[in-house]
Amino acid sequence: MSSTQQGVYPGRRLAQIVRLKPEYVAEYKECHSKVWPEVLKQIKDCNIEDYSIFWDDNTGILFATLRYVGNDYEGDMARMAANPKVREWWKMTDGYQTSLVPGAKSSDSEPGWWKPLEEVFYQP
């Protein structure tokens, strides 16, 4: 019997990209080596699990993957954005990045800063 048949929601898998400015590679890696506890707690409280960010040094692309396990994604993302410490983190890290979303101004506004990707294959 699968976990969904047993009533355990496996989560919604998401992936996003943004470009890291080459002059900020060291700063970006450093801040992510010690993410602020308030930010980590908010991520967990907003039902995000298995969150990873990968970096391609040839293109500068940051590739994020995560699993959302809640029941109200929009509501949880609104709660995330309402946290002043998260917004402070976003302001800092946005300065290290260039969005690939046309018209994006920051992580704290629409359209979103990180470009969502379509999943075209998954082998569990």
Side-chain angles (χ1 to χ4, degrees), residues 70-119:
N71 298 314
D72 179 13
Y73 182 76
E74 288 75 22
D76 280 333
M77 294 309 99
R79 286 189 313 122
M80 177 88 68
N83 183 316
K85 203 67 173 172
V86 169
R87 286 196 313 276
E88 183 182 346
W89 177 266
W90 287 346
K91 184 175 181 180
M92 177 185 66
T93 58
D94 284 1
Y96 301 150
Q97 305 163 347
T98 302
S99 179
L100 300 170
V101 177
K105 298 194 182 341
S106 73
S107 289
D108 201 17
S109 64
E110 290 295 326
W113 188 249
W114 285 68
K115 181 180 180 189
L117 300 177
E118 175 186 358
E119 185 176 88

Side-chain angles (χ1 to χ4, degrees), residues 41-48 68 70 76-77 79-80:
K41 181 178 183 326
Q42 190 66 60
I43 289 169
K44 183 177 177 83
D45 289 350
C46 287
N47 298 298
I48 294 173
Y68 176 71
D76 280 333
M77 294 309 99
R79 286 189 313 122
M80 177 88 68

Side-chain angles (χ1 to χ4, degrees), residues 17-42:
I17 58 172
V18 74
R19 181 165 282 123
L20 181 59
K21 295 175 182 176
E23 64 270 27
Y24 290 112
V25 171
E27 290 90 338
Y28 191 82
K29 287 181 176 182
E30 176 65 22
C31 74
H32 281 84
S33 73
K34 49 186 174 206
V35 177
W36 302 343
E38 303 90 343
V39 172
L40 294 174
K41 181 178 183 326
Q42 190 66 60

